[in-house]
């Protein structure tokens, strides 16, 4: 009995061990099956993702187009004004992302400015491509890559960079985040060449585009910019602008309008007042327009340079009488009418040729059209189609009609270059090419008269302060202080100061126009008329840029004597 009973516990123990072994084996098989299933699912997912066709579109735009380049823009001396640089931009492929929340949280450790809800929404779905952040720094790219998030990648985009910042803002314009021109020469290049099509097709990505050479001289541009910035501070003005044109080719060598913006941050152009005042705004330019009236009357033969004009009394129209500002109220010679800026004398000269002939002359000089220049920011003049007697009278000294400063710059160029009207350009052009496009608008003799009058005004008239600064460079022109219209009435407190000039007047090379908007006196001893501000700014610019442009100073009085018309020599 004892032997039998001793075997029973052993048999029971063996059975228990066998049962436990079978249970363990089953658990292992189930665990292996589960792990295998997980790996099969993951493997299938990876195979599916690996065989998925990649989208070739970037939110409606071809990926190749995003990476397309723009041509470098250079000044006339080959200095870079706009170039492309390579920057990384972050994108996501939502259908490849395994855990949206985890991916979003990880990305925000590098890019904390991303809105969490927006980011999760961007990462959710079955899209093949969505932008997450554009134009990142290399350091940000490296940190994101180290996160190792599936479905996150980078495209190398081309970003436009302007080394000079705001110095030539209204010339360059800007591009949007997709490198498409939205203003200035950048927009012109897209609209007038095949560049836009090349970008759309992505053909500019792998090939270098030929540089675009502008007529701008960046040295001169910087001087004009610097002096206009100084003018706004010195005269507490709300705006200032200026442009310089080669009178023989029509090339614009400088164009500045303040306030401006930095093209590297194009959103700045949307701020109030940051528009191109040279081509995109029109003004009553005041007495600078007398240069036009003198050219019209002298060229018509209705007035001779030796004539005497009765300026003893104001010109009456009904209940109104037009007077002179600081008038002499005596008989004036034609040069004196110009030098003393006599409204009375100018009106009588215009009346001698007739208001209709005067109006036709404005058409001949192209004042009616929008400026013909590469910039898209242009506006048309505002000139009555016909003049009444009083309308013609006020127009003769620059009131009652509005033109762009570019119109005036082009006209002054024609009046000093021998009488040839040449359309301005921001691209390089030879004199022969310009002559092929030119229109003769006044005689060479009339042009000689205008050069003499402009120089006379610098020596003895309202340009004398600027001439003292630009001594030796034979500069001269005409001031204009135009009262601004406020609530439908001319304001005696707010004015636009203008100086339209040329140099050197013994052999004209460049015309220039300078505007200072709502200037205040620099100090208690100065005034706010144009000779005190726009005239002095013009003189400072000439003194600095003339040597750059190869113009040598010369103070020999014989040079000015030679400008005097033969008829006036005694």
């Amino acid at each position: 009995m004892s032997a039998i009973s001793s075997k029973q516990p052993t048999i029971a123990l063996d059975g228990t061990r066998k049962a436990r072994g079978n249970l363990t084996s089953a658990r292992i098989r189930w665990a292996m099956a589960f792990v295998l299933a997980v790996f099969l699912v993951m493997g299938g997912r990876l195979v599916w993702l690996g065989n998925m066709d990649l989208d070739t579109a970037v939110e409606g735009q071809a990926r190749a187009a995003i990476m397309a380049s723009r041509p470098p823009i250079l000044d006339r001396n080959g200095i870079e004004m706009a170039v492309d640089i390579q920057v990384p931009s972050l994108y996501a492929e939502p259908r490849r992302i395994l855990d949206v929340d985890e991916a979003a949280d990880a990305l925000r450790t590098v890019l904390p400015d991303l809105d969490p809800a927006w980011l999760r929404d961007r990462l959710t779905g079955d899209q093949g491509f969505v932008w997450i952040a554009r134009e990142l720094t290399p350091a940000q790219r490296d940190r994101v890559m180290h996160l190792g998030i599936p479905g996150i990648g980078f495209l190398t985009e081309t970003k436009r960079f302007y080394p000079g910042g705001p110095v030539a803002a209204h010339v360059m314009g800007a591009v949007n985040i997709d490198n498409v021109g939205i203003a200035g020469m950048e927009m012109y290049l897209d609209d007038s060449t095949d560049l836009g099509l090349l970008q759309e097709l992505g053909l500019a990505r792998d090939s270098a585009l030929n540089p675009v050479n502008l007529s701008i001289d960046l040295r001169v541009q910087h001087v004009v910019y610097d002096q206009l910035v100084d003018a706004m501070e010195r005269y507490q003005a709300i705006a200032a602008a200026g442009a310089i044109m080669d009178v023989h080719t029509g090339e614009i060598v400088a164009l500045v309008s303040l306030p401006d913006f930095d093209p590297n941050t194009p959103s700045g152009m949307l701020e109030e007042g940051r528009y191109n005042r040279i081509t995109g705004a029109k003004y009553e330019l005041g007495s600078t327009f007398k240069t036009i009236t003198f050219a019209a009357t002298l060229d018509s033969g209705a007035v001779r340079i030796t004539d005497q004009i009765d300026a003893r009394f104001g010109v009456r129209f009904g209940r109104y009488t037009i007077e002179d500002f600081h008038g002499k109220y005596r008989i004036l010679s034609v040069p004196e009418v110009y030098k003393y800026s006599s409204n009375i004398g100018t009106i009588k000269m215009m009346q001698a040729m007739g208001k209709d002939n005067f109006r036709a002359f404005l058409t001949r000089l192209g004042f009616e059209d929008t400026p013909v220049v590469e910039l898209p920011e242009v506006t048309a003049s505002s000139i009555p189609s016909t003049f009444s007697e009083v309308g013609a009278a006020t127009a003769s000294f620059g009131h009652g009609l509005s033109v762009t400063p570019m119109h005036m710059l082009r006209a002054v160029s024609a009046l000093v270059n021998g009488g040839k009207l040449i359309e301005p350009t921001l691209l390089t052009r030879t004199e022969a090419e310009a002559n092929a496009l030119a229109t003769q608008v006044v005689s060479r003799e009339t042009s000689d008269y205008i050069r003499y009058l402009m120089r006379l005004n610098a020596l003895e008239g309202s340009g004398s302060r600027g001439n003292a600064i630009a001594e030796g460079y034979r500069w001269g022109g005409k001031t204009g202080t135009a009262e601004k219209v406020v609530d439908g009435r001319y304001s005696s407190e707010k004015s636009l100061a203008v100086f339209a000039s040329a140099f050197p007047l013994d052999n004209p090379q460049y015309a220039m126009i300078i505007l200072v908007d709502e200037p205040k006196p620099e100090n208690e001893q100065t005034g706010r008329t144009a000779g005190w501000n726009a005239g002095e700014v013009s003189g400072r610019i000439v003194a600095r840029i003339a040597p750059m442009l190869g113009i040598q100073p010369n103070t020999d009085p014989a040079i000015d004597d030679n400008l005097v018309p033969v008829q006036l020599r005694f």
Side-chain angles (χ1 to χ4, degrees):
M1 292 291 295
S2 60
I4 295 174
S5 61
S6 64
K7 293 180 179 180
Q8 287 178 344
T10 302
I11 295 172
L13 183 58
D14 290 341
T16 300
R17 287 175 177 173
K18 185 175 181 179
R20 288 178 177 174
N22 291 338
L23 181 59
T24 300
S25 298
R27 288 175 175 173
I28 292 173
R29 286 194 297 271
W30 279 109
M32 293 177 62
F34 176 76
V35 171
L36 180 62
V38 170
F39 275 102
L40 287 174
V41 170
M42 293 178 64
R45 172 73 170 172
L46 292 174
V47 170
W48 178 73
L49 291 174
N51 292 328
M52 183 186 300
D53 293 333
L54 294 176
D55 284 0
T56 59
V58 178
E59 298 196 290
Q61 190 174 5
R63 291 193 188 196
I66 289 294
M67 296 180 283
S69 299
R70 301 181 67 83
I73 298 179
L74 314 177
D75 87 330
R76 65 185 306 108
N77 300 310
I79 300 174
E80 291 180 337
M81 299 181 71
V83 294
D84 278 351
I85 59 175
Q86 303 299 309
V87 294
S89 288
L90 176 65
Y91 71 89
E93 296 177 81
R95 60 190 180 189
R96 291 180 179 269
I97 294 177
L98 303 177
D99 189 321
V100 170
D101 290 336
E102 182 182 3
D105 291 342
L107 287 174
R108 292 194 69 251
T109 63
V110 179
L111 305 170
D113 292 338
L114 294 178
D115 180 75
W118 175 88
L119 181 57
R120 284 177 172 78
D121 181 67
R122 295 290 280 175
L123 298 178
T124 302
D126 59 357
Q127 300 102 311
F129 191 105
V130 294
W131 284 120
I132 300 300
R134 308 284 289 274
E135 299 177 355
L136 300 180
T137 66
Q140 289 173 317
R141 176 199 57 198
D142 293 343
R143 291 179 61 194
V144 170
M145 290 182 67
H146 288 157
L147 296 175
I149 305 172
I152 295 295
F154 288 91
L155 279 182
T156 299
E157 293 191 86
T158 52
K159 179 183 179 181
R160 205 58 160 167
F161 177 65
Y162 304 89
V167 170
H170 290 289
V171 173
M172 305 310 300
V175 300
N176 63 17
I177 199 166
D178 292 322
N179 228 22
V180 176
I182 56 174
M185 287 301 295
E186 296 284 25
M187 185 174 179
Y188 167 79
L189 291 175
D190 280 354
D191 291 346
S192 63
T193 68
D194 292 332
L195 178 60
L197 177 62
L198 287 173
Q199 285 188 302
E200 183 178 343
L201 298 176
L203 301 180
R205 176 182 48 172
D206 300 318
S207 60
L209 295 170
N210 292 328
V212 176
N213 283 91
L214 300 188
S215 60
I216 294 293
D217 187 321
L218 203 53
R219 303 168 305 167
V220 177
Q221 178 78 15
H222 188 274
V223 170
V224 176
Y225 179 84
D226 181 60
Q227 289 301 320
L228 291 179
V229 169
D230 175 74
M232 286 188 65
E233 180 178 355
R234 186 188 296 253
Y235 308 115
Q236 302 175 56
I238 64 170
I244 301 174
M245 176 176 171
D246 185 312
V247 302
H248 298 296
T249 66
E251 295 172 303
I252 303 299
V253 297
L255 189 157
V256 177
S257 180
L258 303 176
D260 59 5
F261 60 95
D262 187 343
N264 294 303
T265 310
S267 59
M269 72 170 64
L270 301 177
E271 296 179 17
E272 185 177 359
R274 300 177 191 278
Y275 55 89
N276 186 346
R277 287 167 167 78
I278 297 296
T279 63
K282 53 191 173 185
Y283 304 93
E284 293 187 2
L285 293 178
S287 291
T288 57
F289 218 78
K290 288 173 181 171
T291 302
I292 307 302
T293 304
F294 272 65
T297 58
L298 292 170
D299 199 64
S300 72
V303 176
R304 295 170 298 181
I305 195 70
T306 55
D307 283 350
Q308 302 289 308
I309 308 297
D310 187 352
R312 292 176 296 171
F313 310 103
V315 182
R316 190 170 183 83
F317 295 96
R319 297 183 296 112
Y320 300 98
T321 301
I322 298 177
E323 305 280 359
D324 280 345
F325 182 72
H326 297 320
K328 300 300 179 181
Y329 294 100
R330 61 175 173 81
I331 303 290
L332 300 175
S333 68
V334 167
E336 286 179 323
V337 172
Y338 193 86
K339 179 175 69 174
Y340 296 133
S341 197
S342 171
N343 295 336
I344 298 170
T346 304
I347 292 171
K348 291 192 173 182
M349 290 175 63
M350 180 278 298
Q351 289 175 333
M353 76 175 295
K355 62 183 180 64
D356 294 335
N357 291 333
F358 176 57
R359 180 64 184 80
F361 185 77
L362 301 186
T363 298
R364 192 196 311 176
L365 260 63
F367 277 106
E368 294 174 326
D369 308 322
T370 57
V372 180
V373 69
E374 290 78 13
L375 298 177
E377 297 81 22
V378 294
T379 189
S381 300
S382 179
I383 304 175
S385 57
T386 59
F387 281 146
S388 65
E389 292 294 338
V390 68
T394 58
S396 71
F397 56 86
H399 288 268
L401 77 174
S402 299
V403 299
T404 72
M406 184 62 78
H407 280 113
M408 180 59 74
L409 182 65
R410 176 181 62 172
V412 169
S413 294
L415 297 181
V416 300
N417 72 3
K420 297 178 293 185
L421 187 68
I422 303 171
E423 300 293 359
T425 181
L426 282 160
L427 300 173
T428 54
R429 179 196 285 162
T430 66
E431 188 171 342
E433 291 169 337
N435 286 333
L437 302 171
T439 302
Q440 194 76 27
V441 289
V442 297
S443 68
R444 178 167 290 277
E445 182 181 51
T446 298
S447 178
D448 290 342
Y449 291 155
I450 295 301
R451 290 193 294 123
Y452 159 68
L453 292 171
M454 292 173 69
R455 181 61 179 152
L456 176 67
N457 192 53
L459 292 170
E460 302 177 12
S462 59
S464 58
R465 297 185 64 82
N467 183 63
I469 299 172
E471 184 179 6
Y473 293 111
R474 293 89 69 204
W475 164 83
K478 187 72 186 74
T479 54
T481 305
E483 293 179 344
K484 298 176 70 173
V485 176
V486 179
D487 298 328
R489 299 174 63 88
Y490 285 105
S491 170
S492 60
E493 300 298 323
K494 295 183 178 182
S495 62
L496 177 73
V498 189
F499 206 109
S501 62
F503 68 98
L505 283 169
D506 58 312
N507 180 23
Q509 300 296 317
Y510 300 96
M512 175 168 61
I513 189 164
I514 296 295
L515 290 77
V516 182
D517 198 352
E518 298 187 17
K520 296 178 176 58
E522 183 176 1
N523 54 55
E524 293 181 357
Q525 287 73 45
T526 63
R528 63 181 182 89
T529 52
W532 292 98
N533 42 70
E536 289 195 4
V537 173
S538 299
R540 294 186 198 106
I541 290 172
V542 171
R544 289 182 60 181
I545 69 173
M548 298 176 184
L549 298 171
I551 299 171
Q552 299 300 318
N554 191 329
T555 56
D556 186 350
I559 295 178
D560 291 328
D561 292 342
N562 290 335
L563 287 172
V564 179
V566 174
Q567 301 93 322
L568 295 177
R569 297 178 188 174
F570 300 103

